[in-house]
């Protein structure tokens, strides 16, 4: 299964701004492709995104709907690392940032500018 397809589905879910059914995701993807994706292929990608924590699935009537829980390819990569290595990955990341003053400064700027860590108004 192509990681780029996972990223495309994640981007589609993020841009939608609302939960989407698997059929909707399939239709949107097939609008921009010559080789049409099967519904089962799209559901496999959605299931993998859910298992990686990059998307969530909820029942809506008789159907499931999906929404992104991370914004982009970087978020997907972080989720995969956290799923594979847990808090040890965070500890190693902090160690690496502590050892490199330039990286530490960049990280501080990124954290200070993060909308997720901003104080609520």
């Amino acid at each position: 299964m192509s990681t780029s397809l996972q990223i495309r589905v994640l981007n589609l879910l993020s841009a939608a701004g609302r939960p989407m059914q698997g059929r909707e995701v399939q239709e949107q993807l097939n609008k921009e492709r010559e080789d049409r994706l099967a519904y089962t292929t799209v559901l496999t990608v959605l299931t993998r995104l859910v298992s990686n924590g990059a998307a969530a699935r909820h029942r809506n009537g008789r159907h499931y709907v999906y929404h992104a829980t991370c914004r982009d390819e970087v978020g997907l990569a972080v989720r995969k690392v956290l799923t594979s290595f847990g808090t040890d990955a965070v500890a190693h990341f902090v160690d690496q940032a502590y050892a490199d003053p330039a990286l530490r400064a960049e990280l501080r700027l990124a954290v200070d500018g993060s909308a997720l860590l901003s104080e609520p108004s």
Side-chain angles (χ1 to χ4, degrees):
M1 183 71 47
S2 168
T3 302
S4 62
L5 183 55
Q6 287 184 6
I7 293 165
R8 179 65 193 115
V9 170
L10 181 63
N11 290 340
L12 181 65
L13 291 174
S14 294
R18 63 172 180 77
M20 296 179 72
Q21 292 182 14
R23 286 264 181 236
E24 292 177 290
V25 173
Q26 178 196 22
E27 289 169 6
Q28 289 298 314
L29 291 170
N30 282 337
K31 282 182 182 178
E32 56 195 51
R33 297 176 60 97
E34 267 185 46
D35 56 330
R36 299 181 59 78
L37 293 169
Y39 179 64
T40 54
T41 300
V42 173
L43 287 185
T44 298
V45 171
L46 288 166
T47 299
R48 287 184 180 173
L49 289 172
V50 169
S51 70
N52 289 339
R57 175 179 86 169
H58 304 285
R59 193 169 271 294
N60 184 10
R62 292 180 31 195
H63 303 281
Y64 283 107
V65 293
Y66 300 83
H67 68 273
T69 58
C70 60
R71 294 183 299 226
D72 53 22
E73 184 176 0
V74 174
L76 178 59
V78 169
R79 291 280 184 171
K80 285 181 179 180
V81 168
L82 289 173
T83 299
S84 297
F85 301 103
T87 56
D88 286 343
V90 176
H92 282 285
F93 181 80
V94 170
D95 286 345
Q96 290 295 314
Y98 182 77
D100 182 344
L103 179 58
R104 208 168 48 238
E106 282 184 53
L107 184 58
R108 183 169 284 120
L109 287 173
V111 168
D112 288 346
S114 175
L116 296 175
L117 298 177
S118 296
E119 292 294 320
S121 33

